[in-house]
Amino acid sequence: MIREEKQALVDELSEKFQSHNAFYIADASGMSVAKINEFRRLCYNRGLEFKVYKNTFIRKALDTLEVDTTEMDAALVGQSGILFSKESGNAPAKLIQDFHKAQNYSKTAVVRPALKGAYVDAGIYIGHDQLGTLATLKGKTELIGEIIGLLQSPAKNVISALSSGGTKLAGILKTLSEKEEVAG
């Protein structure tokens, strides 16, 4: 591969890092071709992309981001495949967990693909033990939806109280006016 091809690959990877709010670095070494193809098919079906890159290309592309990614160096050892996600930061973690469940790994087996590191909304997570945490992360849209729901709840209660209070007030005024007519 000539220098221009390498630079083009780094540029392409850098562009993907900048256009995706989440990417995971996974170790798929030791997986058979059939298992990797099964994993890629599952990625495709869920709108994710999985591609293997050289660690040096990944490091150079990470250096183009406007955040400090030196923590990711711990993940750049051995074979590295990258899962890209535009929509949800937790989708790749859920995909990896679902793939592991489908494989029925024993408790002593080495699970593949193994999470080496993840970058989600400017947060960096290192190690396979972070997979459970990442799977439960909520995306920006989910959090915004929850916040809007929480903000709407008190407003709905106030409107409900005012509207029900208005009918009560109208009833009281009607009763008082009827009493005045009877008394008068």
Side-chain angles (χ1 to χ4, degrees), residues 11-40:
D11 292 342
E12 173 192 329
L13 186 55
S14 175
E15 189 176 305
K16 284 186 178 191
F17 285 157
Q18 292 173 7
S19 66
H20 291 76
N21 68 338
F23 59 86
Y24 287 49
I25 300 174
D27 179 5
S29 62
M31 290 177 68
S32 67
V33 172
K35 289 294 177 192
I36 288 177
N37 288 338
E38 182 182 338
F39 182 70
R40 284 189 175 162

mmCIF file of all heavy atoms in Angstrom, residues 11-40:
data_model
loop_
_atom_site.group_PDB
_atom_site.id
_atom_site.type_symbol
_atom_site.label_atom_id
_atom_site.label_comp_id
_atom_site.label_asym_id
_atom_site.label_seq_id
_atom_site.Cartn_x
_atom_site.Cartn_y
_atom_site.Cartn_z
ATOM 1 N N ASP A 11 -7.904 9.267 6.219
ATOM 2 C CA ASP A 11 -8.873 10.346 6.017
ATOM 3 C C ASP A 11 -10.306 9.818 6.059
ATOM 4 O O ASP A 11 -11.194 10.428 6.650
ATOM 5 C CB ASP A 11 -8.618 11.071 4.684
ATOM 6 C CG ASP A 11 -7.320 11.867 4.688
ATOM 7 O OD1 ASP A 11 -6.779 12.152 5.789
ATOM 8 O OD2 ASP A 11 -6.836 12.197 3.585
ATOM 9 N N GLU A 12 -10.522 8.667 5.413
ATOM 10 C CA GLU A 12 -11.849 8.045 5.413
ATOM 11 C C GLU A 12 -12.264 7.673 6.838
ATOM 12 O O GLU A 12 -13.390 7.941 7.263
ATOM 13 C CB GLU A 12 -11.830 6.792 4.540
ATOM 14 C CG GLU A 12 -13.105 5.977 4.591
ATOM 15 C CD GLU A 12 -12.941 4.603 3.962
ATOM 16 O OE1 GLU A 12 -12.138 4.463 3.015
ATOM 17 O OE2 GLU A 12 -13.605 3.663 4.430
ATOM 18 N N LEU A 13 -11.349 7.075 7.571
ATOM 19 C CA LEU A 13 -11.632 6.679 8.951
ATOM 20 C C LEU A 13 -11.871 7.900 9.826
ATOM 21 O O LEU A 13 -12.786 7.921 10.653
ATOM 22 C CB LEU A 13 -10.473 5.838 9.494
ATOM 23 C CG LEU A 13 -10.628 5.201 10.856
ATOM 24 C CD1 LEU A 13 -11.879 4.351 10.943
ATOM 25 C CD2 LEU A 13 -9.405 4.357 11.176
ATOM 26 N N SER A 14 -11.086 8.938 9.645
ATOM 27 C CA SER A 14 -11.255 10.179 10.398
ATOM 28 C C SER A 14 -12.628 10.790 10.144
ATOM 29 O O SER A 14 -13.304 11.247 11.070
ATOM 30 C CB SER A 14 -10.158 11.161 10.006
ATOM 31 O OG SER A 14 -10.352 12.392 10.633
ATOM 32 N N GLU A 15 -13.052 10.771 8.897
ATOM 33 C CA GLU A 15 -14.369 11.295 8.540
ATOM 34 C C GLU A 15 -15.482 10.491 9.217
ATOM 35 O O GLU A 15 -16.466 11.050 9.693
ATOM 36 C CB GLU A 15 -14.531 11.252 7.018
ATOM 37 C CG GLU A 15 -15.764 11.954 6.505
ATOM 38 C CD GLU A 15 -15.797 11.959 4.987
ATOM 39 O OE1 GLU A 15 -14.817 12.420 4.376
ATOM 40 O OE2 GLU A 15 -16.808 11.493 4.435
ATOM 41 N N LYS A 16 -15.307 9.168 9.265
ATOM 42 C CA LYS A 16 -16.298 8.319 9.942
ATOM 43 C C LYS A 16 -16.353 8.630 11.438
ATOM 44 O O LYS A 16 -17.430 8.677 12.031
ATOM 45 C CB LYS A 16 -15.979 6.838 9.723
ATOM 46 C CG LYS A 16 -16.350 6.356 8.355
ATOM 47 C CD LYS A 16 -16.157 4.860 8.247
ATOM 48 C CE LYS A 16 -16.590 4.401 6.887
ATOM 49 N NZ LYS A 16 -16.679 2.961 6.780
ATOM 50 N N PHE A 17 -15.193 8.821 12.063
ATOM 51 C CA PHE A 17 -15.165 9.159 13.487
ATOM 52 C C PHE A 17 -15.917 10.460 13.748
ATOM 53 O O PHE A 17 -16.638 10.586 14.728
ATOM 54 C CB PHE A 17 -13.727 9.298 14.002
ATOM 55 C CG PHE A 17 -13.002 7.984 14.204
ATOM 56 C CD1 PHE A 17 -11.621 7.944 14.207
ATOM 57 C CD2 PHE A 17 -13.678 6.798 14.405
ATOM 58 C CE1 PHE A 17 -10.930 6.760 14.410
ATOM 59 C CE2 PHE A 17 -13.012 5.612 14.615
ATOM 60 C CZ PHE A 17 -11.631 5.587 14.603
ATOM 61 N N GLN A 18 -15.746 11.423 12.866
ATOM 62 C CA GLN A 18 -16.378 12.726 13.056
ATOM 63 C C GLN A 18 -17.869 12.701 12.748
ATOM 64 O O GLN A 18 -18.629 13.480 13.319
ATOM 65 C CB GLN A 18 -15.661 13.783 12.224
ATOM 66 C CG GLN A 18 -14.261 14.047 12.737
ATOM 67 C CD GLN A 18 -13.450 14.959 11.832
ATOM 68 O OE1 GLN A 18 -13.951 15.499 10.876
ATOM 69 N NE2 GLN A 18 -12.178 15.113 12.164
ATOM 70 N N SER A 19 -18.300 11.809 11.871
ATOM 71 C CA SER A 19 -19.712 11.773 11.492
ATOM 72 C C SER A 19 -20.547 10.814 12.343
ATOM 73 O O SER A 19 -21.764 10.797 12.224
ATOM 74 C CB SER A 19 -19.850 11.410 10.015
ATOM 75 O OG SER A 19 -19.410 10.093 9.780
ATOM 76 N N HIS A 20 -19.920 10.029 13.189
ATOM 77 C CA HIS A 20 -20.640 9.089 14.056
ATOM 78 C C HIS A 20 -20.475 9.529 15.508
ATOM 79 O O HIS A 20 -19.364 9.835 15.938
ATOM 80 C CB HIS A 20 -20.096 7.668 13.879
ATOM 81 C CG HIS A 20 -20.405 7.076 12.537
ATOM 82 N ND1 HIS A 20 -19.731 7.426 11.397
ATOM 83 C CD2 HIS A 20 -21.335 6.167 12.166
ATOM 84 C CE1 HIS A 20 -20.222 6.753 10.374
ATOM 85 N NE2 HIS A 20 -21.195 5.986 10.808
ATOM 86 N N ASN A 21 -21.574 9.516 16.248
ATOM 87 C CA ASN A 21 -21.484 9.929 17.650
ATOM 88 C C ASN A 21 -20.973 8.811 18.542
ATOM 89 O O ASN A 21 -20.678 9.036 19.707
ATOM 90 C CB ASN A 21 -22.827 10.458 18.152
ATOM 91 C CG ASN A 21 -23.884 9.375 18.248
ATOM 92 O OD1 ASN A 21 -23.788 8.342 17.596
ATOM 93 N ND2 ASN A 21 -24.892 9.608 19.053
ATOM 94 N N ALA A 22 -20.874 7.604 17.987
ATOM 95 C CA ALA A 22 -20.369 6.486 18.784
ATOM 96 C C ALA A 22 -19.625 5.510 17.887
ATOM 97 O O ALA A 22 -20.043 5.246 16.761
ATOM 98 C CB ALA A 22 -21.510 5.769 19.484
ATOM 99 N N PHE A 23 -18.503 5.004 18.409
ATOM 100 C CA PHE A 23 -17.821 3.904 17.753
ATOM 101 C C PHE A 23 -17.176 3.037 18.820
ATOM 102 O O PHE A 23 -16.788 3.495 19.877
ATOM 103 C CB PHE A 23 -16.805 4.373 16.706
ATOM 104 C CG PHE A 23 -15.721 5.266 17.228
ATOM 105 C CD1 PHE A 23 -14.562 4.742 17.771
ATOM 106 C CD2 PHE A 23 -15.857 6.647 17.161
ATOM 107 C CE1 PHE A 23 -13.560 5.572 18.245
ATOM 108 C CE2 PHE A 23 -14.866 7.485 17.633
ATOM 109 C CZ PHE A 23 -13.712 6.946 18.180
ATOM 110 N N TYR A 24 -17.152 1.744 18.543
ATOM 111 C CA TYR A 24 -16.604 0.756 19.460
ATOM 112 C C TYR A 24 -15.436 0.062 18.784
ATOM 113 O O TYR A 24 -15.513 -0.258 17.602
ATOM 114 C CB TYR A 24 -17.658 -0.305 19.803
ATOM 115 C CG TYR A 24 -18.765 0.139 20.716
ATOM 116 C CD1 TYR A 24 -19.473 1.312 20.498
ATOM 117 C CD2 TYR A 24 -19.129 -0.642 21.807
ATOM 118 C CE1 TYR A 24 -20.494 1.705 21.330
ATOM 119 C CE2 TYR A 24 -20.159 -0.256 22.641
ATOM 120 C CZ TYR A 24 -20.842 0.913 22.397
ATOM 121 O OH TYR A 24 -21.868 1.290 23.227
ATOM 122 N N ILE A 25 -14.385 -0.197 19.541
ATOM 123 C CA ILE A 25 -13.261 -0.977 19.040
ATOM 124 C C ILE A 25 -13.380 -2.365 19.659
ATOM 125 O O ILE A 25 -13.458 -2.503 20.882
ATOM 126 C CB ILE A 25 -11.911 -0.325 19.402
ATOM 127 C CG1 ILE A 25 -11.821 1.075 18.791
ATOM 128 C CG2 ILE A 25 -10.754 -1.198 18.913
ATOM 129 C CD1 ILE A 25 -10.592 1.859 19.195
ATOM 130 N N ALA A 26 -13.427 -3.365 18.794
ATOM 131 C CA ALA A 26 -13.653 -4.735 19.259
ATOM 132 C C ALA A 26 -12.552 -5.652 18.753
ATOM 133 O O ALA A 26 -11.938 -5.403 17.715
ATOM 134 C CB ALA A 26 -15.009 -5.233 18.774
ATOM 135 N N ASP A 27 -12.329 -6.720 19.502
ATOM 136 C CA ASP A 27 -11.354 -7.739 19.133
ATOM 137 C C ASP A 27 -12.113 -8.962 18.629
ATOM 138 O O ASP A 27 -12.833 -9.602 19.389
ATOM 139 C CB ASP A 27 -10.505 -8.104 20.355
ATOM 140 C CG ASP A 27 -9.482 -9.185 20.063
ATOM 141 O OD1 ASP A 27 -9.350 -9.598 18.894
ATOM 142 O OD2 ASP A 27 -8.802 -9.611 21.010
ATOM 143 N N ALA A 28 -11.966 -9.248 17.350
ATOM 144 C CA ALA A 28 -12.637 -10.396 16.756
ATOM 145 C C ALA A 28 -11.643 -11.488 16.394
ATOM 146 O O ALA A 28 -11.971 -12.397 15.638
ATOM 147 C CB ALA A 28 -13.415 -9.956 15.519
ATOM 148 N N SER A 29 -10.431 -11.402 16.953
ATOM 149 C CA SER A 29 -9.412 -12.406 16.623
ATOM 150 C C SER A 29 -9.863 -13.779 17.106
ATOM 151 O O SER A 29 -10.515 -13.913 18.134
ATOM 152 C CB SER A 29 -8.072 -12.041 17.258
ATOM 153 O OG SER A 29 -8.179 -12.030 18.664
ATOM 154 N N GLY A 30 -9.542 -14.766 16.338
ATOM 155 C CA GLY A 30 -9.906 -16.133 16.701
ATOM 156 C C GLY A 30 -11.293 -16.540 16.236
ATOM 157 O O GLY A 30 -11.672 -17.705 16.346
ATOM 158 N N MET A 31 -12.073 -15.604 15.727
ATOM 159 C CA MET A 31 -13.400 -15.952 15.212
ATOM 160 C C MET A 31 -13.243 -16.548 13.819
ATOM 161 O O MET A 31 -12.419 -16.097 13.029
ATOM 162 C CB MET A 31 -14.304 -14.707 15.140
ATOM 163 C CG MET A 31 -14.728 -14.174 16.487
ATOM 164 S SD MET A 31 -15.725 -12.655 16.361
ATOM 165 C CE MET A 31 -17.226 -13.264 15.619
ATOM 166 N N SER A 32 -14.044 -17.548 13.525
ATOM 167 C CA SER A 32 -14.006 -18.136 12.186
ATOM 168 C C SER A 32 -14.611 -17.154 11.182
ATOM 169 O O SER A 32 -15.327 -16.222 11.558
ATOM 170 C CB SER A 32 -14.799 -19.448 12.167
ATOM 171 O OG SER A 32 -16.178 -19.174 12.356
ATOM 172 N N VAL A 33 -14.334 -17.371 9.933
ATOM 173 C CA VAL A 33 -14.879 -16.517 8.877
ATOM 174 C C VAL A 33 -16.401 -16.565 8.925
ATOM 175 O O VAL A 33 -17.080 -15.542 8.771
ATOM 176 C CB VAL A 33 -14.337 -16.949 7.489
ATOM 177 C CG1 VAL A 33 -15.041 -16.202 6.369
ATOM 178 C CG2 VAL A 33 -12.842 -16.738 7.419
ATOM 179 N N ALA A 34 -16.955 -17.727 9.157
ATOM 180 C CA ALA A 34 -18.414 -17.871 9.228
ATOM 181 C C ALA A 34 -18.991 -17.040 10.374
ATOM 182 O O ALA A 34 -20.027 -16.378 10.216
ATOM 183 C CB ALA A 34 -18.787 -19.348 9.400
ATOM 184 N N LYS A 35 -18.340 -17.053 11.525
ATOM 185 C CA LYS A 35 -18.822 -16.280 12.680
ATOM 186 C C LYS A 35 -18.685 -14.777 12.437
ATOM 187 O O LYS A 35 -19.565 -13.998 12.811
ATOM 188 C CB LYS A 35 -18.070 -16.673 13.960
ATOM 189 C CG LYS A 35 -18.418 -18.044 14.473
ATOM 190 C CD LYS A 35 -19.850 -18.093 14.928
ATOM 191 C CE LYS A 35 -20.202 -19.497 15.383
ATOM 192 N NZ LYS A 35 -21.638 -19.675 15.577
ATOM 193 N N ILE A 36 -17.586 -14.364 11.816
ATOM 194 C CA ILE A 36 -17.411 -12.941 11.506
ATOM 195 C C ILE A 36 -18.475 -12.494 10.510
ATOM 196 O O ILE A 36 -19.064 -11.425 10.658
ATOM 197 C CB ILE A 36 -15.989 -12.647 10.982
ATOM 198 C CG1 ILE A 36 -14.986 -12.752 12.144
ATOM 199 C CG2 ILE A 36 -15.911 -11.266 10.341
ATOM 200 C CD1 ILE A 36 -13.550 -12.558 11.756
ATOM 201 N N ASN A 37 -18.748 -13.329 9.507
ATOM 202 C CA ASN A 37 -19.795 -12.992 8.540
ATOM 203 C C ASN A 37 -21.169 -12.927 9.208
ATOM 204 O O ASN A 37 -21.977 -12.057 8.889
ATOM 205 C CB ASN A 37 -19.817 -13.990 7.392
ATOM 206 C CG ASN A 37 -18.630 -13.810 6.472
ATOM 207 O OD1 ASN A 37 -18.021 -12.744 6.427
ATOM 208 N ND2 ASN A 37 -18.300 -14.858 5.736
ATOM 209 N N GLU A 38 -21.426 -13.827 10.147
ATOM 210 C CA GLU A 38 -22.680 -13.807 10.911
ATOM 211 C C GLU A 38 -22.780 -12.515 11.725
ATOM 212 O O GLU A 38 -23.833 -11.869 11.773
ATOM 213 C CB GLU A 38 -22.724 -15.030 11.832
ATOM 214 C CG GLU A 38 -23.981 -15.167 12.639
ATOM 215 C CD GLU A 38 -23.937 -16.379 13.572
ATOM 216 O OE1 GLU A 38 -23.156 -17.323 13.320
ATOM 217 O OE2 GLU A 38 -24.689 -16.367 14.570
ATOM 218 N N PHE A 39 -21.675 -12.123 12.344
ATOM 219 C CA PHE A 39 -21.640 -10.896 13.129
ATOM 220 C C PHE A 39 -21.861 -9.667 12.235
ATOM 221 O O PHE A 39 -22.637 -8.777 12.569
ATOM 222 C CB PHE A 39 -20.311 -10.789 13.888
ATOM 223 C CG PHE A 39 -20.199 -9.587 14.765
ATOM 224 C CD1 PHE A 39 -20.956 -9.481 15.927
ATOM 225 C CD2 PHE A 39 -19.347 -8.545 14.442
ATOM 226 C CE1 PHE A 39 -20.866 -8.362 16.740
ATOM 227 C CE2 PHE A 39 -19.245 -7.421 15.248
ATOM 228 C CZ PHE A 39 -20.012 -7.328 16.405
ATOM 229 N N ARG A 40 -21.210 -9.638 11.103
ATOM 230 C CA ARG A 40 -21.377 -8.512 10.166
ATOM 231 C C ARG A 40 -22.812 -8.426 9.652
ATOM 232 O O ARG A 40 -23.353 -7.346 9.473
ATOM 233 C CB ARG A 40 -20.402 -8.634 8.999
ATOM 234 C CG ARG A 40 -19.007 -8.254 9.382
ATOM 235 C CD ARG A 40 -18.106 -8.175 8.187
ATOM 236 N NE ARG A 40 -16.807 -7.675 8.652
ATOM 237 C CZ ARG A 40 -15.702 -7.787 7.979
ATOM 238 N NH1 ARG A 40 -15.704 -8.343 6.793
ATOM 239 N NH2 ARG A 40 -14.576 -7.325 8.461
#
